[in-house]
């Protein structure tokens, strides 16, 4: 059987895409559905039955027996309930395969069984999933068979969003409306929609599955809670972009093929900086589709790993001492007729529309830096941000030399008269062709960097949904566009007014621009002088969701109301507490049941051999054995004391519960408990890890109870 893969034939074969719809739907129905998908028009319910029938027939033709409303609750992962297509048997005991428009449009999962932050009580169970026709349905083929997956939104009985998709779609509506106002100001009468597009780069680790199953911390927490660094880490820089090993290459090949079948444009693959770390990047897609695709990517990475005896780790920091994993969120704005509003052109100083868009984005990021930082907050990211491997926790914007110079000209003189040009790259080798360099270098330490025709938000964690950062980006930029459009639409002299507003916005918000080393302590001090916020942890960042500024912003554009924002903050506090509680209890379990018994066995054997040597040869030098026994015993005592402390503070933090009262009391409790875990439990975990990692370097490897870092990251 040939190993050749025809990507063109394979791509999208498991997707109910435009080609399938055009083939299987009546022309009138196809036209109405396309108007909803492409023009954002309201879905005509009268076509639902026809679409459902066509979708069902197509799915059955591919072997499907079940369908599911595939949605993204506030758990951070996807959810689904499967129903078969079979109908009630007739008098002859036969069944038909049915799927109605009502079943396509609406599902009814239990809303109280998902995180809701107090929006739904336990007894208030009803929730709804509703079809997002702008993200195509797809087929998933696995051990359960073939399932038709229908991307949906998820909301409560009373209308609040309980998912990651509903507010994302709302934010897309907001920026579409305001961006069109900007285009109209510059005489564009042809564009009908402006759509945010995103290309999220996905980093991940791969470890051997058998070794993974020997580590409770990887199983329960997704990261190693104990582990000493091996003699070699990533300091040789030999893994980054290195040759891909056969086992990993076979895995990547299957991942690509699975994703291509699902219509996911998996394009780039390579080894990342840390040993056992890799990256996959797709081509850009409409933001809600890109969010769905990223969930498919994460699910596929994990599923396929098992086929190769591997386990995929999506945690932001699975190994202490080597690079963690992020997910760079490449964001841009493109009209339905192909105009990229973030394209500066060859002479950006003359591109007034681009300069206005750029000025508005700088304003949005400066005014709402706290929200943008919060949108990238998750438990694992606390271990990664600002660790000289990822952007700092301080939001700043990198523009590059050319654009910075244009901004400087406008701020200094009021006019921008030129744009710096890229030079020729001269390699000083005759056989190598010269080529044009980019106008500016990149800055990998910047959290929000302009990279030619898009902004790359580099703070997002590898395990996190990219929905939240894009909800924030869409909404804060929509606000800046609205305020600019409100002013410019009333101007008598548009040319003068747009020049003045661009200059004003650059002058007021240039403090957010930074092109230097974001890893340096000097930048931390400089950012403080500039008045830029520095939220070092998730629990410090969460309050940004419920400030009056945030409530006003999101309610203005109908993305969230106050109750939805407060519920999300409560969910995030609770999620933080639960995650740290699991980690702490896992450490207690591993320390008490595995590490301490192993060290006792080692010291007992060491003491026995020491006595035997003394008895056999009283004059023998046993200073090494004695010193090792003393050092190990001292660390064991330190570890036992740290274990006791961790048990105490974990129990105290977990005990912070009370009977459900009003929502405000529940919110305050969730906040206080999260701070308790952050301020007391996390330091106690670090105190327990320190002696344990030192003991790993002393105790006989044959006695150590689980695989080491070297076993995990170098033996894949």
């Amino acid at each position: 059987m040939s190993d050749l893969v025809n990507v063109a034939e394979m791509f999208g074969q498991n997707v109910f895409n435009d080609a399938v719809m055009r083939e299987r739907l009546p022309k009138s129905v196809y036209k109405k559905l396309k108007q909803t998908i492409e023009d954002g028009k309201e879905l005509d319910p009268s076509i639902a039955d026809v679409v459902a029938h066509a979708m069902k027939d197509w799915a059955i033709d591919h072997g499907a027996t079940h369908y599911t409303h595939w949605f993204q609750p506030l758990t951070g992962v996807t959810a689904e309930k499967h129903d078969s297509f079979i109908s009630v048997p007739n008098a002859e005991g036969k069944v038909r395969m049915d799927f109605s428009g009502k079943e396509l449009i609406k599902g009814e999962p239990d809303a109280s069984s998902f995180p809701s932050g107090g929006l739904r009580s336990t007894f208030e169970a009803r929730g709804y999933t509703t079809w997002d026709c702008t993200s195509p349905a797809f087929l998933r083929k696995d051990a359960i068979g073939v399932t038709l997956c229908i991307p949906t939104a998820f909301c409560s009985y009373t209308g609040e969003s309980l998912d990651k998709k509903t507010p994302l779609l709302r934010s897309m509506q907001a920026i579409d409306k305001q961006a069109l106002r900007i285009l109209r100001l510059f005489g564009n009468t042809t564009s009908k929609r402006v759509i945010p597009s995103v290309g999220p780069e996905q980093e991940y680790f791969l470890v051997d599955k058998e070794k993974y199953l020997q580590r409770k911390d990887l199983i329960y927490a997704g990261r190693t809670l104990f582990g000493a660094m091996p003699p070699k880490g990533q300091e040789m820089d030999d893994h980054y972009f290195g040759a891909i090993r056969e086992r990993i290459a076979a895995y990547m090949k299957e991942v690509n093929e699975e994703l291509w079948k699902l219509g996911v444009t998996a394009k780039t693959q390579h080894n990342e900086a840390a040993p056992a770390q890799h990256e996959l990047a797709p081509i850009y897609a409409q933001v809600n589709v890109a969010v769905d695709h990223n969930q498919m990517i994460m699910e596929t990475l994990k599923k396929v790993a098992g086929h190769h005896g591997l386990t995929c780790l999506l945690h932001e920091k699975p190994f202490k001492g080597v690079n963690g994993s992020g997910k760079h969120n490449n964001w841009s704005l493109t009209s339905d007729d192909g105009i990229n509003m973030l394209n500066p052109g060859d002479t950006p100083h003359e591109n007034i529309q681009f300069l206005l868009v750029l000025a508005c984005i700088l304003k949005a990021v400066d005014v709402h830096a706290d929200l943008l930082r919060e949108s990238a907050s998750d438990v694992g990211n606390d271990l990664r941000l600002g660790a000289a491997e990822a952007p700092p926790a301080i939001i700043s914007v990198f523009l590059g030399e050319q654009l910075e110079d244009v901004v400087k000209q406008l701020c200094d003189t009021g006019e921008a008269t030129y744009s710096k040009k890229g030079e020729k790259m001269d390699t000083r080798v005759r056989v190598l062709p010269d080529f044009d360099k980019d106008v500016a270098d990149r800055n990998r330490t910047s959290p929000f960097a302009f990279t030619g025709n898009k902004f790359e938000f580099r703070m997002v964690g590898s395990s996190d949904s990219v929905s939240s950062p894009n909800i924030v980006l869409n909404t804060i930029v929509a606000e800046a566009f609205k305020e600019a459009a409100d002013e410019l639409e009333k101007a008598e002299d548009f040319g003068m007014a747009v020049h003045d507003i661009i200059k004003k916005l650059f002058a007021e918000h240039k403090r957010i621009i930074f092109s230097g080393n974001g890893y340096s302590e000097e930048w931390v001090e400089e950012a403080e002088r500039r008045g830029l916020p520095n939220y070092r942890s998730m629990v410090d960042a969460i309050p940004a969701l419920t400030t009056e500024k945030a409530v006003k912003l999101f309610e203005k554009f109908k993305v969230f109301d106050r109750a939805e924002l407060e519920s999300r903050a409560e969910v995030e506090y609770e999620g933080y507490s639960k995650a740290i509680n699991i980690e702490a209890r896992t450490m207690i379990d591993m320390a008490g049941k595995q590490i301490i018994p192993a060290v006792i066995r080692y010291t007992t054997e060491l003491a026995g051999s020491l006595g035997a040597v003394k008895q056999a040869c009283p004059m023998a030098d046993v200073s090494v054995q004695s010193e090792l026994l003393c050092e190990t015993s001292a660390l064991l005592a330190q570890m036992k004391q740290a274990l006791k402390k961790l048990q105490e503070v974990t129990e105290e933090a977990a005990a912070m519960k009370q009977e459900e009262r009003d929502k405000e009391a529940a919110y305050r409790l969730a906040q206080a408990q999260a701070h308790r875990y952050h301020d007391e439990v996390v330091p106690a975990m670090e105190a327990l890890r320190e002696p344990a990692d030192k003991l790993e370097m002393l105790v006989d490897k044959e006695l150590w109870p689980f695989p080491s870092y070297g076993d995990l990251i170098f033996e894949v």
Side-chain angles (χ1 to χ4, degrees), residues 162-331:
L162 297 175
D163 67 340
K164 302 275 188 177
K165 170 161 281 194
T166 306
L168 179 65
L169 294 171
R170 294 170 181 169
S171 74
M172 291 172 66
Q173 290 180 173
I175 198 166
D176 172 33
K177 179 179 179 180
Q178 302 306 324
L180 276 176
R181 293 177 69 192
I182 297 295
L183 291 180
R184 297 288 185 261
L185 285 166
F186 288 90
N188 181 325
T189 59
T190 57
S191 297
K192 297 178 181 177
R193 294 184 69 198
V194 174
I195 305 152
S197 61
V198 168
E201 304 166 24
Q202 180 69 56
E203 294 177 343
Y204 60 95
F205 279 82
L206 291 172
V207 297
D208 184 85
K209 187 171 184 178
E210 288 187 9
K211 295 184 176 75
Y212 164 86
L213 291 173
Q214 295 174 54
R215 295 207 51 137
K216 293 181 180 179
D217 48 4
L218 288 179
I219 293 171
Y220 295 137
R223 73 176 181 104
T224 53
L225 301 169
F226 297 103
M229 277 297 293
K232 178 185 176 183
Q234 65 186 64
E235 62 271 21
M236 297 301 293
D237 300 322
D238 54 346
H239 189 259
Y240 190 55
F241 279 28
I244 299 170
R245 284 168 286 180
E246 286 290 304
R247 186 181 185 186
I248 306 304
Y251 164 79
M252 288 180 170
K253 179 177 183 293
E254 186 179 353
V255 166
N256 285 333
E257 292 174 5
E258 289 295 309
L259 291 174
W260 290 334
K261 291 174 187 176
L262 291 169
V264 179
T265 54
K267 183 173 179 65
T268 303
Q269 60 191 26
H270 61 84
N271 290 345
E272 253 299 333
Q277 188 185 31
H278 312 278
E279 181 177 297
L280 183 155
I283 299 172
Y284 299 93
Q286 177 176 309
V287 62
N288 66 311
V289 175
V291 169
D292 286 356
H293 281 182
N294 185 247
Q295 291 290 345
M296 294 181 203
I297 287 171
M298 291 191 287
E299 291 175 4
T300 303
L301 288 171
K302 290 187 286 187
K303 180 184 78 172
V304 172
H307 302 169
H308 298 266
L310 299 166
T311 296
C312 176
L313 304 177
L314 295 175
H315 195 282
E316 286 73 20
K317 194 72 171 177
F319 302 103
K320 183 179 181 180
V322 298
N323 269 31
S325 295
K327 182 148 44 190
H328 300 169
N329 187 84
N330 295 280
W331 178 88

Side-chain angles (χ1 to χ4, degrees), residues 389-593:
E389 65 188 59
I394 304 164
I395 295 288
S396 64
V397 177
F398 171 78
L399 294 180
E401 293 175 35
Q402 184 187 61
L403 294 183
E404 272 200 52
D405 183 67
V406 171
V407 171
K408 187 175 186 302
Q409 291 178 58
L410 283 165
C411 291
D412 289 351
T413 67
E415 298 289 339
T417 57
Y418 65 91
S419 297
K420 288 185 175 182
K421 300 294 183 182
E423 301 174 353
K424 287 283 185 183
M425 172 61 78
D426 179 11
T427 62
R428 300 192 298 279
V429 178
R430 286 195 302 272
V431 297
L432 296 180
D434 293 339
F435 56 88
D436 293 330
K437 293 197 302 183
D438 289 307
V439 180
D441 199 355
R442 288 184 175 180
N443 187 331
R444 67 185 302 272
T445 72
S446 175
F448 198 74
F450 186 75
T451 54
N453 59 3
K454 58 186 171 60
F455 275 100
E456 183 178 34
F457 185 37
R458 298 170 54 92
M459 293 178 76
V460 187
S462 53
S463 68
D464 210 0
S465 167
V466 289
S467 178
S468 294
N470 288 297
I471 291 168
V472 170
L473 273 172
N474 293 345
T475 311
I476 65 177
V477 174
E479 180 187 58
F481 282 171
K482 180 183 186 304
E483 291 171 355
D486 286 347
E487 184 173 337
L488 292 172
E489 285 170 354
K490 295 182 292 187
E492 294 181 5
D493 185 337
F494 174 75
M496 182 67 71
V498 73
H499 175 273
D500 289 347
I501 197 171
I502 291 170
K503 185 173 73 171
K504 174 174 174 285
L505 291 178
F506 281 150
E508 290 178 351
H509 301 288
K510 63 182 180 181
R511 69 171 186 167
I512 200 73
I513 301 172
F514 178 67
S515 59
N517 182 7
Y519 293 161
S520 69
E521 189 58 37
E522 289 79 11
W523 167 234
V524 176
E525 297 169 1
E526 169 64 19
E528 187 175 358
R529 283 193 293 272
R530 295 188 187 189
L532 301 180
N534 183 6
Y535 300 106
R536 298 178 184 272
S537 73
M538 178 179 175
V539 294
D540 294 331
I542 292 172
L545 281 173
T546 54
T547 63
E548 287 303 314
K549 179 184 68 171
V551 173
K552 182 180 177 182
L553 165 76
F554 287 118
E555 288 191 336
K556 181 192 310 179
F557 294 101
K558 299 180 180 179
V559 174
F560 292 116
D561 59 28
R562 183 184 295 272
E564 289 172 324
L565 287 168
E566 290 174 349
S567 72
R568 276 158 175 75
E570 186 176 332
V571 166
E572 292 194 18
Y573 280 130
E574 289 177 348
Y576 182 89
S577 297
K578 290 173 181 176
I580 299 300
N581 185 64
I582 290 169
E583 290 187 352
R585 293 192 182 281
T586 302
M587 289 190 81
I588 291 166
D589 186 274
M590 293 175 71
K593 295 179 181 178

